[in-house]
Amino acid sequence: MTDAVSDNSAASPSLNILAQYVKDFSFENPGAPRSLQARDKAPAINISVNVNANPLSETDFDVILSLNAEAKDGDKMLFNAELAYGGVFRVTGFPQEHMLPVLFIECPRLLFPFARQIISDATRNGGFPPLMIDPIDFAQMFSQRMAEEQVKAKVQAN
């Protein structure tokens, strides 16, 4: 009876973070100190997000969350922050059809608060108010990415 329980627990889904790290990071403040002067209106801030995952072994995956935040006042760049924040995840016991959602939704969801804090600290240390990036809907991002992949596959098939 104990064997059945241990077999069952071995098959139960598990997601563990083995490591987190900054892969690449850049903060540019090209107009300093002029860019730090008070302004009449808030700058235009553009934030882009990307997620990539690469297998390291049968159960371990390297997931990279890339955030790029650029602030402009008209055509002048005030700051540009680029961060590639990674995590090594051990993923076991999930059915194959759930692997992509785990890697592209759950893993970046776990990494995001740490990446957000790095961007916030960098903008504050650069002389600007801390940039607090709004929470990201990784499930919606994943659905959109899968829809784009399906369109690409149909186009290539024709």
Side-chain angles (χ1 to χ4, degrees), residues 1-127:
M1 191 73 173
T2 332
D3 290 338
V5 172
S6 64
D7 286 347
N8 189 24
S9 64
S12 66
S14 172
L15 174 62
N16 299 318
I17 301 176
L18 304 180
Q20 295 182 80
Y21 61 95
V22 172
K23 186 173 183 91
D24 190 21
F25 180 64
S26 168
F27 182 83
E28 299 172 41
N29 186 356
R34 285 198 170 97
S35 62
L36 305 177
Q37 296 172 338
R39 48 188 39 76
D40 299 337
K41 60 181 176 128
I45 297 178
N46 183 31
I47 297 171
S48 60
V49 181
N50 194 22
V51 178
N52 284 305
N54 297 302
L56 299 174
S57 72
E58 198 170 301
T59 59
D60 296 353
F61 297 85
D62 182 34
V63 177
I64 304 291
L65 172 60
S66 299
L67 298 175
N68 185 13
E70 184 180 71
K72 287 188 171 186
D73 186 10
D75 62 345
K76 289 184 183 172
M77 185 195 327
L78 299 177
F79 70 78
N80 186 32
E82 296 176 356
L83 173 64
Y85 191 75
V88 177
F89 292 86
R90 178 156 295 150
V91 183
T92 58
F94 284 91
Q96 192 58 40
E97 66 270 15
H98 293 174
M99 287 301 290
L100 285 179
V102 167
L103 293 172
F104 287 91
I105 298 170
E106 292 307 314
C107 293
R109 186 180 60 77
L110 294 169
L111 294 174
F112 176 73
F114 301 97
R116 178 186 192 214
Q117 187 64 49
I118 292 168
I119 296 289
S120 172
D121 289 349
T123 54
R124 185 193 69 233
N125 292 340

Side-chain angles (χ1 to χ4, degrees), residues 11 33 98 136 154:
H98 293 174
I136 297 168
K154 286 180 183 175

